[in-house]
């Protein structure tokens, strides 16, 4: 009896430790970032200023047609920003940064002057990355914004996943700047500029969020694997399997394995609840491939749509130089509080 009781105590202690570990990992997985501001500019606008093009994106307004590219090639099927004709790429990038900072000055100005701003800069351009970074720093200095700014390493939604793991209690806000201007191979591409201001729910109490960006999941191009990741992505929110109303496909070639897997997933819950007539938005089809800006454009559009009509959106986006895809959810503000795990 004594031996049995000792074994039982040991087993109970192991079960309790395992339960605590699972709970901690679930809470860690369900971390999310506040979306404090979301701006985007595409060829849907006729003027140079940042204006709300969310309706055009939600209605899949097709502006992908053959035209002369930035480097003078004729009959290239792509979409161009309205002020890109006869403008040098470096001038266009500088103007885009200046205009984007004008729209972001208002939320950034409400932050404490010593509140750090971490910048993730993503660029698909014929300009070298170092030159694009220099142009951003120049625009930041000319904007007279006072918060200290520093670049962070990484790219795409991997940077969000890393931030949720290691910087969830950081006082810094995360500013994502993504653009594709004058791409090296313009065929079937889209010129876009996107800005997202993200904050930690544990530390950011100054600005009111408009939506939440949840933990992304990376899937290999396999139907079973992608279905599992889609289900995991909605579980991180968490959502009912019938809750999704919009699906964004961004930066995924129609001939890729990842795209075929995404099509298969649309026939299964939770994506089966999305109305294909009005709820599916394949950015590559009506705008062109936004390159590295693809996931950020979809997230910004989803956040702006949620600010009008609260409903969860899922984004499936391509991974650069890979057949794999990322899956994430943008949701209206949740009632539950952030866990410190």
């Amino acid at each position: 009896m004594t031996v049995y009781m000792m074994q039982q105590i040991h087993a109970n202690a192991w079960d309790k430790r395992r339960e605590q570990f699972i709970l901690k990992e679930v809470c860690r997985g369900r971390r999310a970032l506040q979306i404090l501001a979301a701006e985007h500019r595409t060829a849907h606008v006729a003027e140079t200023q940042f204006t709300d093009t969310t309706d055009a994106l939600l209605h899949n307004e097709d502006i992908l047609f053959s035209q002369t590219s930035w480097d003078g090639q004729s009959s290239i099927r792509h979409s161009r920003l309205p002020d890109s004709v006869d403008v040098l790429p470096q001038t266009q990038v500088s103007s885009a940064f200046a205009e984007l900072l004008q729209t972001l000055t208002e939320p950034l100005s409400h932050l404490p002057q010593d509140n750090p701003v971490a910048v993730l800069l993503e660029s698909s351009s014929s300009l070298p990355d170092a030159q694009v970074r220099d142009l951003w720093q120049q625009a930041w200095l000319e904007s007279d914004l006072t918060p200290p700014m520093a670049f962070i390493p990484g790219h795409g939604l991997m940077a969000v996943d890393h931030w949720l793991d290691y910087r969830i209690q950081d006082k810094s806000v995360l500013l994502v700047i993504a653009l594709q201007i004058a791409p090296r191979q313009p065929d079937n591409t889209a010129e876009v500029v996107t800005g997202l201001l993200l904050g930690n729910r544990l530390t950011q109490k100054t600005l009111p969020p408009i939506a939440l960006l949840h933990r992304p999941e990376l899937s290999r191009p396999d139907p079973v694997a992608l279905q599992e990741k889609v289900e995991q992505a909605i579980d991180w929110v968490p959502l009912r399997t019938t809750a999704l109303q919009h699906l964004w496909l961004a930066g995924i070639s129609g001939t890729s394995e990842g795209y075929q897997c995404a099509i298969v997933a649309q026939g299964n819950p939770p994506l089966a609840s999305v109305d294909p007539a009005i709820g599916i938005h394949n950015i590559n089809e009506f705008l062109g491939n936004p390159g590295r800006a693809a996931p950020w454009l979809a997230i910004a559009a989803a956040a702006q749509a949620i600010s009008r009509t609260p409903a969860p959106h899922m984004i499936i986006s391509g991974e650069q130089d890979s057949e794999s895809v990322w899956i994430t959810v943008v949701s209206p503000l949740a009632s539950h509080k952030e866990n410190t795990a």
Side-chain angles (χ1 to χ4, degrees):
M1 180 63 71
T2 301
V3 172
Y4 171 79
M5 291 182 63
M6 293 297 293
Q7 292 175 338
Q8 188 66 31
I9 292 172
H10 177 76
N12 290 341
W14 187 89
D15 288 342
K16 186 174 182 180
R17 287 196 303 271
R18 181 174 180 272
E19 182 179 347
Q20 291 173 342
F21 173 79
I22 292 174
L23 179 60
K24 182 178 180 180
E25 288 301 293
V26 169
C27 291
R28 185 172 68 88
R30 287 182 175 169
R31 293 171 180 172
L33 286 171
Q34 301 168 324
I35 301 179
L36 307 173
E39 300 290 343
H40 55 82
R41 183 163 168 248
T42 69
H44 286 107
V45 293
E47 57 277 341
T48 59
Q49 291 78 21
F50 276 79
T51 52
D52 194 344
T53 59
T54 303
D55 284 340
L57 296 173
L58 284 172
H59 291 102
N60 301 340
E61 185 178 317
D62 193 349
I63 53 170
L64 188 60
F65 58 90
S66 295
Q67 56 186 311
T68 303
S69 67
W70 69 273
D71 57 357
Q73 300 181 61
S74 60
S75 300
I76 300 297
R77 190 168 181 265
H78 66 303
S79 65
R80 296 185 64 178
L81 293 173
D83 58 340
S84 62
V85 179
D86 299 326
V87 178
L88 293 175
Q90 55 266 36
T91 303
Q92 191 181 1
V93 170
S94 293
S95 299
F97 284 156
E99 293 162 8
L100 181 58
L101 281 172
Q102 285 181 0
T103 65
L104 293 174
T105 295
E106 199 276 332
L108 286 170
S109 64
H110 289 291
L111 295 173
Q113 291 188 357
D114 59 347
N115 196 111
V117 177
V119 174
L120 175 66
L121 183 59
E122 299 258 58
S123 171
S124 300
S125 173
S126 54
L127 299 178
D129 289 345
Q131 184 178 0
V132 173
R133 178 175 289 205
D134 290 342
L135 292 172
W136 168 259
Q137 289 180 312
Q138 181 181 351
W140 181 270
L141 292 173
E142 293 175 354
S143 70
D144 295 328
L145 288 167
T146 56
M149 185 271 292
F151 293 105
I152 64 169
H155 67 88
L157 291 174
M158 179 69 76
V160 171
D161 193 46
H162 184 273
W163 185 282
L164 291 173
D165 279 337
Y166 300 104
R167 300 190 64 172
I168 194 62
Q169 299 194 43
D170 202 306
K171 290 186 177 180
S172 299
V173 292
L174 175 59
L175 178 60
V176 179
I177 305 298
L179 75 158
Q180 177 161 266
I181 288 177
R184 289 186 176 88
Q185 301 294 334
D187 191 33
N188 287 313
T189 63
E191 288 191 331
V192 300
V193 184
T194 303
L196 282 164
L197 184 61
L198 308 173
N200 290 326
R201 287 196 284 174
L202 290 173
T203 60
Q204 197 290 128
K205 308 295 184 183
T206 304
L207 298 173
I210 59 177
L212 294 176
L213 174 60
H214 296 270
R215 182 178 292 277
E217 287 288 325
L218 180 63
S219 172
R220 66 182 187 275
D222 174 80
V224 175
L226 189 138
Q227 179 66 33
E228 291 176 352
K229 296 298 184 178
V230 166
E231 293 172 0
Q232 183 62 74
I234 70 161
D235 186 62
W236 289 144
V237 181
L239 291 174
R240 303 186 314 275
T241 56
T242 58
L244 287 175
Q245 295 188 21
H246 292 272
L247 169 65
W248 297 84
L249 301 174
I252 308 177
S253 169
T255 60
S256 67
E257 293 183 22
Y259 178 80
Q260 301 303 321
C261 295
I263 294 299
V264 173
Q266 291 175 37
N268 304 321
L271 293 179
S273 64
V274 179
D275 185 345
I278 60 173
I280 296 180
H281 319 287
N282 188 342
I283 292 177
N284 280 34
E285 286 188 349
F286 63 86
L287 185 66
N289 190 340
R292 290 188 176 181
W296 311 115
L297 174 62
I299 291 168
Q304 289 191 347
I306 286 173
S307 67
R308 307 174 189 175
T309 307
H313 295 231
M314 176 169 281
I315 291 99
I316 301 180
S317 58
E319 170 75 352
Q320 289 295 309
D321 303 319
S322 170
E323 286 283 326
S324 298
V325 296
W326 283 94
I327 303 102
T328 191
V329 173
V330 178
S331 77
L333 299 180
S335 59
H336 63 274
K337 296 181 179 180
E338 180 68 85
N339 193 290
T340 58

